[in-house]
Amino acid sequence: MSDQEMTKKIEVQGTTKIFGKNTKRAAQLLNEGKSKKEILQATGATVGVKNASFDVYDGEIFVIMGLSGSGKSTLVRMLNRLIDPTMGKILIDGKDIVEMNKEQLREVRRKKIGMVFQNFALFPHKTIQENTEYGLEIQGIAKETRLEKAKESLRLVGLAGYEEQYPNQLSGGMQQRVGLARALANDPDVLLMDEAFSALDPLIRKDMQDELLQLHHDMGKTIIFITHDLDEALRIGDRIALMKDGDIVQIGTPEEILMSPSNEYVERFVEDVDLSKVLTAWHIMKKADTVQVDRGARVALRLMKKLSISSIYVVDKGNRLLGAVTAQDALTATEEGKLLEDVLIRDITKVSQDTVLTDLFDTVSTASVPVAVVDEREHLQGIIIRGALIGALAGNGQFINNDPVATGVNEVTDHE
Amino acid sequence: MNNLLPRLPFADWIDDGVDWLVDTFGTVFDGISAFLKGTVEGAVTLMDLVPSILLAVIFAVIAYFLSTRGIALFTLIGLLFIDYLGYWYPMLQMLALVLTSVAIALLIGIPLGIWGSQQATVKKIINPILDLMQTMPAFVYLLPAIFFFNIGVVPGVVASVIFSMPPTIRLTMLGIEQVPKDLIEATEAFGSKTSQRLLKVQIPLAKSTIMAGVNQSIMLSLSMVVIASMVGAPGLGEEVYRSVTQLKTGKGFETGLSIVIVAIILDRITQHAGNRKNKKVAK
């Protein structure tokens, strides 16, 4: 989502939640820099979330991740004030919801924020249809409109035809789809998902993650996703906030968290991550040397000699990848006076830059020329060489790109 | 002990208090009395207009719709048996007393229970009062009831209401509190008003627990009919009481059995009415 415009949807500013009776004294101790444990001993109050500040941009999937007791569920509940913050501001579209009265808050909950719960929280006495309609029903929306929107919403999550069933007749995965449909029926800008897939078994969970990504892609809602599962966080998050003991320890993209952990805790957390499922072709691709097709075989040959390489990629004027040519073929073409086009190897392996490394092993090991990374319009982005693939898996940062400027195409022009 | 501490005249204070209430609110009590008497007697008159066999059939049909065929059959046979024994009219009088007092108990008890479930303070105040109401020997309610409402059916109704209300209040509170927390969060997260949360989610889900409370209230109210007869409430209870005072064992059993039959009918019907919806959901 980094290429979308970065409008701030939610701004959390110095938000703190202290549970217990003596919150004023606890807040004072917190300002003095005392730890959660010291405050508990001194006042009996528990610090749930400690001075959290972050922005969530419009249209991104922001994952809040942490182990149980880290304060992530408390934090997400403060975003729609199911839990009232002790201190701090929470701006949604620039308006502070902490300051809102009941009426205004209700309006925000009805129109702007939908929520999906860990254990689904479906109403057992209502049918799937009635469950999905709930958010609309309490707004007093006409029966026909409600029916239509709920049906549409159920269709989106793949549950058309289950309208008249009751929740306990459905499997866990399906129940959570209802939970999602219920949240979507209101057409909110923001979806809060509290450990939404944690109660599902691994295969179903993966399906749901895929579907969520698809829905997100189609509908472009801002999603705040809570999880304790790092793999899940890395898989779906545009950005991740890692929490520990009520503190946000690090905020960053999955790569940033993996590649430059801000402290020992994060480091320990991410050390067991299977990099091959996280890193993509984009991370390990190198600049590609190319030659434009109309420059001819002779130029291609000279370039290869100059760069000491045995093959080179050939592109058209618009930098669209046409194929590759080997030094041997280029030589033959020069001798026989053929065009470069005639000796092109057009059948080359191309991958997209989102391909994860796991899916690259086979391709890279069998390819005779380096694998080309292209975008959806066949523009050459870079190439993958075996050494970089292995180096990246070993966690060697020198093979991993974090900076998009460093990649791209090196258009070789041969000025004589 | 008696010598060390002056004996505080609690009994006198309570007597004075009752006298003051009677003097000050006499007309109010008269009004309530007239209303209750009218209700109970009206109900008896109404039911007595219908021939006994037809009424038994009507009750059986009601039982069929609220519960099962078996219970409907038992209702029909049971009521006809009471008619056969010759206790039809006392049975109607008892039924009117029980249903009136239960109706009042529910009318006060369910809203109180809902209120208590929403406000911790209210619950804290209600709970010890309920303990008192349930543990105080039921006879004690009869005495002030006589002062306020004279003898007859009315003090019986009042005593029954007080005695039978606690389970309804308690189980209403319990049922609403037992609705899982994440469902409450879900209603809140979608922007429900308190009334919407209660009416659309909490009360429907608490229904079977509330019905268990209603069932308990009916049973407690039935257990009061004999006691109520001591202050002049008519009905099967009065027959039992008379049999006891006259040492008529046989008649005592006949009337006692009639009360049991009515109790079983009311118990089974209310139990089933409470579980009906749940069965549909759980199938």
Side-chain angles (χ1 to χ4, degrees):
Chain A
M1 291 300 118
S2 53
D3 51 346
Q4 281 195 356
E5 87 243 52
M6 305 281 259
T7 328
K8 285 177 186 171
K9 190 74 191 173
I10 300 175
E11 296 160 72
V12 177
Q13 299 172 350
T15 304
T16 296
K17 176 66 194 181
I18 298 166
F19 293 103
K21 281 183 179 161
N22 214 343
T23 55
K24 270 196 183 143
R25 173 102 183 91
Q28 201 184 334
L29 288 175
L30 194 66
N31 286 336
E32 289 167 17
K34 294 276 196 299
S35 78
K36 189 172 170 172
K37 210 171 172 187
E38 287 170 318
I39 294 171
L40 178 66
Q41 273 165 2
T43 63
T46 312
V47 179
V49 173
K50 206 190 287 179
N51 199 15
S53 294
F54 59 89
D55 296 330
V56 179
Y57 299 109
D58 196 14
E60 78 172 335
I61 301 186
F62 188 85
V63 175
I64 300 174
M65 108 129 249
L67 301 179
S68 62
S70 62
K72 55 189 190 304
S73 289
T74 307
L75 182 54
V76 77
R77 278 169 174 68
M78 289 197 284
L79 299 182
N80 61 355
R81 271 184 61 194
L82 284 181
I83 294 176
D84 276 314
T86 313
M87 290 183 291
K89 287 183 177 181
I90 294 168
L91 309 181
I92 295 182
D93 287 332
K95 284 183 202 129
D96 189 359
I97 64 157
V98 181
E99 298 293 318
M100 285 182 183
N101 62 27
K102 269 190 175 179
E103 202 69 44
Q104 292 165 319
L105 179 65
R106 202 179 293 140
E107 207 51 30
V108 168
R109 286 174 172 174
R110 286 178 173 188
K111 301 274 160 68
K112 280 205 174 152
I113 306 179
M115 191 160 181
V116 182
F117 296 84
Q118 177 170 14
N119 293 313
F120 325 135
L122 300 179
F123 306 123
H125 62 297
K126 290 177 182 281
T127 62
I128 301 309
Q129 172 76 28
E130 288 164 348
N131 263 287
T132 313
E133 274 181 17
Y134 184 80
L136 302 165
E137 185 188 342
I138 57 173
Q139 291 181 38
I141 287 167
K143 184 96 193 154
E144 304 85 63
T145 323
R146 249 155 60 187
L147 196 86
E148 211 170 284
K149 285 194 176 171
K151 274 225 157 76
E152 169 63 18
S153 187
L154 283 170
R155 194 189 58 73
L156 274 175
V157 298
L159 277 186
Y162 288 90
E163 288 84 356
E164 297 314 313
Q165 309 257 312
Y166 283 90
N168 64 358
Q169 294 172 298
L170 268 55
S171 69
M174 286 159 106
Q175 289 192 35
Q176 193 55 300
R177 281 164 204 264
V178 180
L180 191 55
R182 181 175 62 178
L184 289 174
N186 279 22
D187 196 24
D189 301 349
V190 180
L191 268 185
L192 305 179
M193 304 188 70
D194 179 27
E195 300 250 13
F197 303 150
S198 299
L200 307 175
D201 56 51
L203 283 178
I204 310 262
R205 191 194 292 191
K206 191 155 177 295
D207 285 348
M208 292 294 282
Q209 290 167 355
D210 288 339
E211 280 180 46
L212 182 69
L213 288 173
Q214 188 59 47
L215 275 173
H216 176 252
H217 182 261
D218 297 343
M219 305 178 85
K221 298 203 182 298
T222 308
I223 297 177
I224 295 177
F225 195 100
I226 307 297
T227 183
H228 62 259
D229 177 358
L230 185 60
D231 287 330
E232 185 167 63
L234 294 170
R235 197 147 185 266
I236 65 172
D238 290 318
R239 287 193 305 142
I240 299 170
L242 208 79
M243 289 189 77
K244 185 198 177 212
D245 291 342
D247 266 324
I248 295 184
V249 193
Q250 184 173 6
I251 300 180
T253 61
E255 298 89 63
E256 282 164 0
I257 300 248
L258 281 178
M259 292 305 141
S260 43
S262 67
N263 64 21
E264 206 187 323
Y265 176 76
V266 184
E267 211 165 279
R268 270 186 38 223
F269 215 103
V270 300
E271 67 186 2
D272 291 333
V273 171
D274 182 356
L275 286 175
S276 69
K277 286 181 179 151
V278 180
L279 295 177
T280 64
W282 182 87
H283 290 106
I284 59 162
M285 68 188 184
K286 296 285 164 243
K287 287 179 191 172
D289 296 310
T290 63
V291 63
Q292 275 190 19
V293 67
D294 54 357
R295 291 184 178 267
R298 199 175 294 276
V299 175
L301 192 59
R302 188 161 38 218
L303 272 173
M304 279 184 269
K305 268 189 190 147
K306 195 170 144 192
L307 299 163
S308 338
I309 49 179
S310 61
S311 61
I312 193 163
Y313 283 106
V314 181
V315 294
D316 67 5
K317 275 210 160 75
N319 197 31
R320 208 195 317 264
L321 182 63
L322 297 174
V325 64
T326 61
Q328 186 60 48
D329 290 344
L331 185 63
T332 319
T334 321
E335 284 165 359
E336 293 173 10
K338 284 185 185 167
L339 290 171
L340 191 51
E341 266 180 300
D342 300 330
V343 292
L344 269 187
I345 308 167
R346 290 177 191 273
D347 181 26
I348 52 169
T349 320
K350 301 172 210 166
V351 295
S352 85
Q353 50 179 327
D354 300 330
T355 319
V356 292
L357 298 197
T358 329
D359 301 336
L360 281 176
F361 295 146
D362 194 39
T363 326
V364 171
S365 68
T366 54
S368 55
V369 290
V371 172
V373 182
V374 295
D375 66 12
E376 55 271 20
R377 283 168 300 169
E378 293 280 295
H379 288 168
L380 185 62
Q381 304 288 305
I383 56 166
I384 293 171
I385 52 172
R386 278 174 221 174
L389 178 60
I390 295 163
L393 280 181
N396 189 338
Q398 130 187 28
F399 293 104
I400 298 164
N401 309 318
N402 281 321
D403 182 7
V405 186
T407 65
V409 175
N410 194 16
E411 233 271 70
V412 184
T413 43
D414 185 55
H415 300 288
E416 287 180 84
Chain B
M1 280 296 273
N2 281 342
N3 298 335
L4 288 174
L5 287 171
R7 173 72 162 86
L8 290 175
F10 286 118
D12 293 344
W13 292 349
I14 289 168
D15 288 345
D16 289 347
V18 168
D19 286 345
W20 179 80
L21 281 173
V22 172
D23 289 344
T24 322
F25 297 107
T27 42
V28 177
F29 289 126
D30 286 348
I32 295 173
S33 185
F35 171 74
L36 291 179
K37 196 164 189 255
T39 309
V40 176
E41 283 173 358
V44 175
T45 316
L46 202 67
M47 287 192 283
D48 201 35
L49 283 178
V50 186
S52 58
I53 296 174
L54 183 59
L55 194 63
V57 171
I58 292 173
F59 278 128
V61 169
I62 293 172
Y64 178 75
F65 280 112
L66 289 178
S67 55
T68 65
R69 199 179 302 165
I71 293 167
L73 197 67
F74 179 84
T75 305
L76 184 67
I77 295 172
L79 290 179
L80 291 178
F81 182 65
I82 293 171
D83 191 27
Y84 170 75
L85 290 177
Y87 298 117
W88 185 256
Y89 192 74
M91 191 276 289
L92 289 185
Q93 286 175 315
M94 177 188 76
L95 200 60
L97 185 147
V98 168
L99 294 182
T100 306
S101 46
V102 169
I104 295 168
L106 299 189
L107 232 51
I108 303 171
I110 291 178
L112 263 181
I114 293 171
W115 194 25
S117 72
Q118 300 302 304
Q119 310 252 338
T121 334
V122 175
K123 194 183 168 194
K124 266 184 205 157
I125 297 168
I126 289 180
N127 263 333
I129 298 177
L130 292 183
D131 292 338
L132 187 82
M133 281 162 78
Q134 278 186 306
T135 41
M136 181 74 83
F139 289 92
V140 179
Y141 300 131
L142 293 176
L143 297 169
I146 294 171
F147 280 109
F148 295 140
F149 304 109
N150 284 321
I151 56 163
V153 73
V154 178
V157 170
V158 173
S160 295
V161 167
I162 296 172
F163 191 62
S164 66
M165 198 160 45
T168 294
I169 300 179
R170 273 192 215 279
L171 285 165
T172 302
M173 287 199 286
L174 180 73
I176 291 176
E177 280 162 7
Q178 272 179 344
V179 173
K181 190 170 164 271
D182 57 342
L183 295 188
I184 309 295
E185 276 195 328
T187 61
E188 293 290 339
F190 284 103
S192 308
K193 294 177 190 164
T194 309
S195 60
Q196 289 173 326
R197 186 189 71 215
L198 273 170
L199 292 174
K200 290 183 192 292
V201 176
Q202 285 181 302
I203 293 174
L205 286 176
K207 203 181 125 199
S208 61
T209 313
I210 295 175
M211 278 310 289
V214 172
N215 174 277
Q216 286 301 300
S217 287
I218 292 177
M219 293 301 112
L220 283 182
S221 172
L222 266 169
S223 75
M224 276 294 285
V225 293
V226 178
I227 296 170
S229 71
M230 294 164 73
V231 290
L236 276 176
E238 187 191 13
E239 301 292 332
V240 173
Y241 185 55
R242 196 178 298 143
S243 315
V244 171
T245 51
Q246 297 173 1
L247 292 177
K248 287 182 177 166
T249 315
K251 199 184 170 209
F253 265 97
E254 274 182 6
T255 46
L257 187 65
S258 303
I259 294 180
V260 171
I261 290 170
V262 174
I264 292 175
I265 293 171
L266 291 177
D267 177 58
R268 292 302 130 91
I269 291 177
T270 46
Q271 267 186 23
H272 273 269
N275 292 331
R276 212 157 42 119
K277 175 86 180 185
N278 289 23
K279 242 190 283 169
K280 192 172 105 196
V281 175
K283 83 183 160 200

